Amino acid sequence: MVGLDEIRMAAARIAPMIRRTPLRVSRGLTDMAGGPVWLKCEHHQETGAFKLRGASNAAAGLGRVAGVTTASTGNHGRALAHAARALGIPAVICMSRLVPANKIAAIEALGAEARITGASQDEAFDEARRLVREEGFALVPPFDDAAVIAGQGTLGLEILEDLPEAAAIAIPLSGGGLLAGVAAAARALRPDIRIIGISMERGAAMAASLAAGHPVDVEELETLADSLGGGIGLENRLTFAMCRDLMDDLILLEEAEIAAGIRWLAREEGETVEGAAAVGAAAVLAGRLDARAGPLVLLLSGGNIDPALHAAILKGER
């Protein structure tokens, strides 16, 4: 398990490398949820998503390497490319054909190679492992890594520093690095706080693995919450157990519900977010999540949505 000490050390290490993102109340969602709803606006982060925290913490701990690599659905790759450029080392980001073009372009704009390989996150990971094995690259995993988890956990510290009375945190759930880190920090500081994971119904690997009692393979399907796609790894070392032990509830959403969350946040809150970041608001709108037990924090994890897709969702075409 990753603990509070590691998360606090990560916070000190990455402070010069990231933004402390705002936490603000949502009046509209508060009215619906029966209690205060707060938005942690991590989509305002330097690279548009929370992934910069974990990637920066992991990359800062590397010694002399030929380069860095990872498999990514987009946001972690962009974060690692950003960190690698700051460190002056090459980066190769391996991605499947399902990754949106705007996320690929953002990675290439940072000077990294975006290597498209296979039809799933797992297949992209095979290429990243080959680079480690044959070319001497250092692997920075997108979620199942202690340094990455500790970096993501700094969000939990910020939330409780800004809102000590928070009763629950709703966290987008994919491979589990974000939920594991935030939950570890929050539970260490507030043992009674509720941790709620939210994902999509289409290809939610962590949800299927928790239901099975062990990591399982799940077909990766196209979804508006593309950042939540991909497997958790059959040899998962950390995030499966941490999510199993630290998460109180799990909500799975339909595509129409995710689209409604994106639209609400754009029209009512003025926030442009990707599908993964909209799942908390979507759960409130769908009546699946409330704040009657006390202040609820929704973690808006990223804003790197394709502009054409965002426009189509706002028009009700998706």
Side-chain angles (χ1 to χ4, degrees):
M1 291 288 185
V2 175
L4 184 60
D5 288 344
E6 293 96 323
I7 295 169
R8 282 176 167 158
M9 285 190 289
R13 184 179 298 118
I14 69 176
M17 307 166 70
I18 67 162
R19 295 174 181 167
R20 185 184 180 102
T21 51
L23 180 69
R24 67 174 186 82
V25 73
S26 167
R27 302 298 179 191
L29 293 174
T30 292
D31 290 343
M32 292 185 199
V37 176
W38 294 76
L39 307 177
K40 177 61 172 170
C41 298
E42 187 64 9
H43 60 303
H44 293 178
Q45 192 53 258
E46 180 78 17
T47 56
F50 75 95
K51 291 284 191 177
L52 186 60
R53 296 172 183 264
S56 295
N57 191 48
L62 295 175
R64 189 176 182 86
V65 294
V68 291
T69 188
T70 194
S72 174
T73 53
N75 287 335
H76 175 65
R78 183 174 178 180
L80 185 59
H82 186 280
R85 185 173 70 171
L87 293 167
I89 56 177
V92 176
I93 311 303
C94 302
M95 294 175 287
S96 80
R97 293 190 294 271
L98 294 178
V99 175
N102 67 304
K103 294 187 176 182
I104 296 170
I107 288 167
E108 292 174 335
L110 289 166
E113 178 188 345
R115 187 167 296 181
I116 310 304
T117 175
S120 72
Q121 176 88 330
D122 289 338
E123 290 180 18
F125 227 122
D126 288 340
E127 174 62 12
R129 292 189 185 97
R130 188 197 65 78
L131 287 168
V132 173
R133 186 174 61 251
E134 298 180 10
E135 300 186 31
F137 275 56
L139 179 67
V140 178
F143 52 87
D144 195 32
D145 177 85
V148 170
I149 293 169
Q152 320 305 26
T154 61
L155 270 164
L157 298 181
E158 288 184 16
I159 288 169
L160 287 181
E161 286 168 4
D162 291 345
L163 190 69
E165 67 273 25
I169 306 175
I171 306 168
L173 178 63
S174 179
L178 177 60
L179 189 144
V182 172
R187 277 285 171 75
L189 297 169
R190 282 277 310 281
D192 61 336
I193 198 166
R194 287 184 60 78
I195 302 297
I196 302 155
I198 311 182
S199 197
M200 69 290 181
E201 289 189 348
R202 292 176 57 81
M206 183 62 79
S209 297
L210 291 170
H214 57 85
V216 297
D217 282 328
V218 173
E219 182 183 2
E220 190 170 344
L221 301 171
E222 186 176 354
T223 171
L224 291 177
D226 56 89
S227 293
L228 302 185
I232 70 167
L234 295 181
E235 299 179 358
N236 187 287
R237 300 177 304 111
L238 295 169
T239 59
F240 173 78
M242 292 183 73
C243 289
R244 178 194 63 205
D245 295 346
L246 296 172
M247 185 168 60
D248 295 296
D249 196 12
L250 174 58
I251 298 169
L252 300 181
L253 297 172
E254 298 177 359
E255 295 297 297
E257 292 172 325
I258 296 169
I262 294 171
R263 280 193 293 271
W264 169 274
L265 288 166
R267 293 172 176 170
E268 306 298 330
E269 305 289 347
E271 304 289 356
T272 299
V273 302
E274 57 193 88
V279 294
V284 173
L285 292 170
R288 310 272 299 278
L289 182 62
D290 63 60
R292 291 194 294 266
L296 167 67
V297 177
L298 308 180
L299 210 165
L300 307 189
S301 54
N304 298 321
I305 188 169
D306 180 78
L309 174 60
H310 193 255
I313 291 170
L314 292 187
K315 293 176 183 176
E317 297 171 356
R318 292 294 302 269

